[in-house]
Amino acid sequence: MPKEAWGSRLGLILAMAGNAVGLGNFLRFPVQAVQNGGGAFIIPYLICFLLMGIPLLLIEWSSGRFGGKFNNHSTPYIMDGMGKAKIWKYVGVFGIFTNIAVVAYYTYIESWSLVYVLHAVFGTFEGMSQSDVATFFTSYVDIFTTSTGIPFEAVFFYILVLALNIFILSKGLGGIEKVAKIGMPLLILFGVILAVRGLTLGESGKSELFPDANAWDGLNFLWTPQFDSLSNPKVWLAAAGQIFFTLSVGMGTIQCYAAYIKANEDIALNAVSAGFMNEFVEVVLGSSIVIPIAAGYLGLDWVLENAGFGMAFQTMPFLFQQWGEVAAAFSGVLWFGLLFFAGITSSLAMGTPWMGFMKDEFGWGKKRGAWSFGALALIMGLPTVLLYQYGVFDEYDYWAGTVSLVVFALLEAVLFSWVFGINKGWNEINEGSDIKIPQAYKFIIKYITPLLLLMVFLSALITPYQNEWMDSISNVLNGGTWVLDNSSLIKNITNYGLKEQLQSAINQSDIDFLEKK
Ligand code: LEU
């Protein structure tokens, strides 16, 4: 029986929900939804949640609690205990590095949020034009605008946020639980207030410059289902990617949290509750803030053209100014405070696999575990801060935040159903459970989830030119060749750094065919 355990069921659910609810819910989801056709995205997204998200949650929660029974608290040890081959331990180690690479850039965004709370309070954005607000951000992260080549403010706050994470982690589960108990309710409260604003803004932001501004257009775009997207692999891949990222599956953080659940305690209901809580925050709150508020002032067309990660920091502070000085400060604190809480409850989770591993392998205590984690995160993270303009940040997001999650999820799904064995696995899921998971999930976990994960992985390998699947297939049927997109995994692995040269070497007639479409 593990000595350390969660203080209460509420604490556990809030910590697990805090792990899942993160920057992805507010920054990544709306952008993915807009870029993949709004209502066209939602159906594949929900199907991916049911067929991959829920099964992976059940796999991870039950694997974690199983490992905890043998006093294992880290993915290498938990996985090692589930399969005889030594390789599983190394798969677990691979999972740990995903966490460190994600936390490296994730805490950088966390630090922006904290800084922007302060700037909102001090009224930095007062009277700024939209382009001033946007420039404010670019010069914050820019190494070229400082004479030394080091963006000191950015580095300072990055290290401060890392230190805060180390401090909380060194307090152990109790510290994580406390932050989740404060952070999650506040996040939801802040989110609800902003969402009410988003949902009631209507046409009040209309101006001479933006006569089409209408928040309802943004909401309609997101919420009018379009079934034609169901045949487009591009949308499915984006939906699957968002599900992995938002639920924090495929990284091992859930296993490590679940390792501290007592052997006879429920996991089925807890896993499903935390998963649904994440979906509520993502689908309801995440889609009711940035998109309608931006559409309410700048119009849906602007949103469609400019939807991107930058909206949160480069546009929102300007839009808040439209509500007057006090309301702008207030909204800025709510919005960036919400992002900060969302971020920190997730980054803390990413510390636990490393700390658990050091504990299992070397018997390290919490302080040593937390400091060594912080040091690794700093070493990995400084390049994202100092070389932001060179795309280091995006590379981390691609390799750690996208590819690794799918690879790890596929391997753990195989381990659970085919090596550990679905019958044993199903018993683990149902042991002590407060709800009955439908029997169909036994079939889904064994066959459908691994198969879908394999398909996602293979499709990422061979993503066609400009992600145009239908056209590429018809090009091949017409005797052409399959032209890979630069975003395809194969290209990223083999042509790294040489993308342009190789791009120009591919068959021009195939490109012409695809571009004519
Ligand atoms: N689930 C988190 C989020 O939505 C991300 C994860 C990689 C920790 O932001």
Side-chain angles (χ1 to χ4, degrees):
M1 176 87 73
K3 286 187 204 79
E4 216 183 343
W6 294 100
S8 65
R9 185 167 189 165
L10 181 71
L12 164 69
I13 295 199
L14 288 179
M16 279 285 199
N19 174 0
V21 171
L23 300 164
N25 298 53
F26 296 96
L27 305 182
R28 200 175 187 277
F29 174 77
V31 173
Q32 289 294 319
V34 167
Q35 288 176 347
N36 288 286
F41 180 73
I42 301 293
I43 300 164
Y45 172 86
L46 292 177
I47 295 178
C48 287
F49 174 64
L50 294 177
L51 295 183
M52 287 192 278
I54 293 273
L56 285 167
L57 287 175
L58 293 172
I59 290 175
E60 297 198 351
W61 277 71
S62 58
S63 307
R65 190 189 59 180
F66 174 77
K69 291 178 187 167
F70 302 95
N71 220 359
N72 293 330
H73 302 93
S74 62
T75 29
Y77 275 72
I78 294 169
M79 296 177 103
D80 192 42
M82 294 174 71
K84 284 201 187 72
K86 264 279 149 269
I87 181 83
W88 295 112
K89 185 168 179 184
Y90 297 103
V91 172
V93 174
F94 158 72
I96 291 181
F97 282 95
T98 304
N99 285 282
I100 295 171
V102 173
V103 95
Y105 72 89
Y106 202 86
T107 39
Y108 192 27
I109 313 177
E110 224 171 283
S111 72
W112 301 343
S113 313
L114 185 63
V115 171
Y116 270 61
V117 168
L118 299 177
H119 283 300
V121 172
F122 292 116
T124 309
F125 305 112
E126 252 169 61
M128 278 194 186
S129 69
Q130 197 193 337
S131 75
D132 288 343
V133 174
T135 313
F136 182 86
F137 177 77
T138 37
S139 41
Y140 180 83
V141 293
D142 193 347
I143 55 171
F144 299 115
T145 49
T146 63
S147 52
T148 51
I150 299 176
F152 282 110
E153 191 184 349
V155 174
F156 173 78
F157 279 100
Y158 178 61
I159 293 178
L160 185 75
V161 163
L162 267 186
L164 190 60
N165 275 276
I166 295 171
F167 173 74
I168 297 165
L169 283 171
S170 68
K171 302 275 166 218
L173 284 193
I176 296 175
E177 210 170 320
K178 210 179 258 167
V179 173
K181 277 185 171 165
I182 300 171
M184 287 303 289
L186 280 180
L187 177 157
I188 292 179
L189 176 72
F190 292 1
V192 167
I193 298 174
L194 290 168
V196 167
R197 189 65 185 130
L199 296 173
T200 54
L201 190 59
E203 291 190 331
S204 56
K206 220 178 215 169
S207 65
E208 248 170 61
L209 213 52
F210 294 100
D212 298 328
N214 184 351
W216 289 111
D217 287 348
L219 291 165
N220 281 335
F221 177 69
L222 286 181
W223 290 111
T224 311
Q226 291 165 41
F227 296 95
D228 53 344
S229 69
L230 293 178
S231 61
N232 186 350
K234 176 188 164 206
V235 178
W236 282 95
L237 281 178
Q242 179 58 24
I243 282 296
F244 301 138
F245 193 88
T246 188
L247 292 175
S248 299
V249 291
M251 325 178 63
T253 53
I254 296 179
Q255 286 94 320
C256 294
Y257 271 12
Y260 295 96
I261 300 174
K262 293 189 196 92
N264 52 354
E265 240 177 86
D266 162 90
I267 47 162
L269 179 60
N270 282 342
V272 173
S273 311
F276 272 93
M277 191 154 161
N278 180 68
E279 289 317 294
F280 165 77
V281 174
E282 174 142 308
V283 174
V284 179
L285 301 182
S287 64
S288 307
I289 302 176
V290 187
I291 303 301
I293 294 180
Y297 282 101
L298 306 166
L300 181 61
D301 287 341
W302 184 92
V303 172
L304 295 182
E305 256 167 57
N306 296 284
F309 177 69
M311 283 200 302
F313 294 91
Q314 293 177 292
T315 311
M316 293 300 271
F318 168 72
L319 300 180
F320 292 151
Q321 302 304 311
Q322 314 312 310
W323 301 339
E325 236 172 71
V326 178
F330 183 66
S331 314
V333 171
L334 294 187
W335 172 239
F336 295 110
L338 166 160
L339 291 181
F340 181 71
F341 287 130
I344 195 158
T345 47
S346 299
S347 59
L348 290 173
M350 288 186 264
T352 49
W354 168 265
M355 287 174 62
F357 187 38
M358 292 300 105
K359 176 176 170 174
D360 290 345
E361 183 85 24
F362 304 118
W364 283 15
K366 289 170 208 147
K367 279 217 171 74
R368 213 160 164 197
W371 277 100
S372 54
F373 167 71
L376 275 180
L378 184 64
I379 294 168
M380 288 286 285
L382 275 182
T384 67
V385 180
L386 297 176
L387 303 172
Y388 183 80
Q389 274 86 358
Y390 295 100
V392 176
F393 187 99
D394 297 330
E395 288 294 331
Y396 276 48
D397 186 40
Y398 176 72
W399 289 107
T402 314
V403 177
S404 300
L405 301 188
V406 178
V407 173
F408 189 88
L410 174 59
L411 294 172
E412 70 180 346
V414 170
L415 172 66
F416 187 84
S417 296
W418 296 91
V419 179
F420 186 62
I422 187 68
N423 289 331
K424 258 167 97 183
W426 188 247
N427 286 341
E428 280 301 323
I429 291 172
N430 289 299
E431 193 187 313
S433 75
D434 289 339
I435 48 162
K436 187 130 189 51
I437 302 284
Q439 190 72 16
Y441 265 102
K442 189 173 175 186
F443 179 82
I444 295 174
I445 291 173
K446 183 170 181 189
Y447 297 105
I448 311 283
T449 311
L451 197 70
L452 289 177
L453 286 163
L454 186 66
M455 282 169 61
V456 170
F457 178 68
L458 294 178
S459 322
L461 270 181
I462 57 156
T463 310
Y465 185 65
Q466 293 189 345
N467 224 324
E468 289 300 348
W469 290 80
M470 295 306 148
D471 295 343
S472 296
I473 291 169
S474 74
N475 181 38
V476 170
L477 293 178
N478 282 323
T481 48
W482 187 265
V483 182
L484 291 175
D485 192 70
N486 277 341
S487 70
S488 73
L489 192 49
I490 291 189
K491 277 233 161 174
N492 274 285
I493 293 170
T494 56
N495 304 343
Y496 191 68
L498 296 168
K499 287 176 190 165
E500 274 74 20
Q501 286 96 311
L502 284 149
Q503 184 63 37
S504 62
I506 56 180
N507 194 342
Q508 195 56 44
S509 65
D510 294 319
I511 299 280
D512 293 344
F513 177 91
L514 293 168
E515 269 170 3
K516 253 200 320 266
K517 287 276 175 166

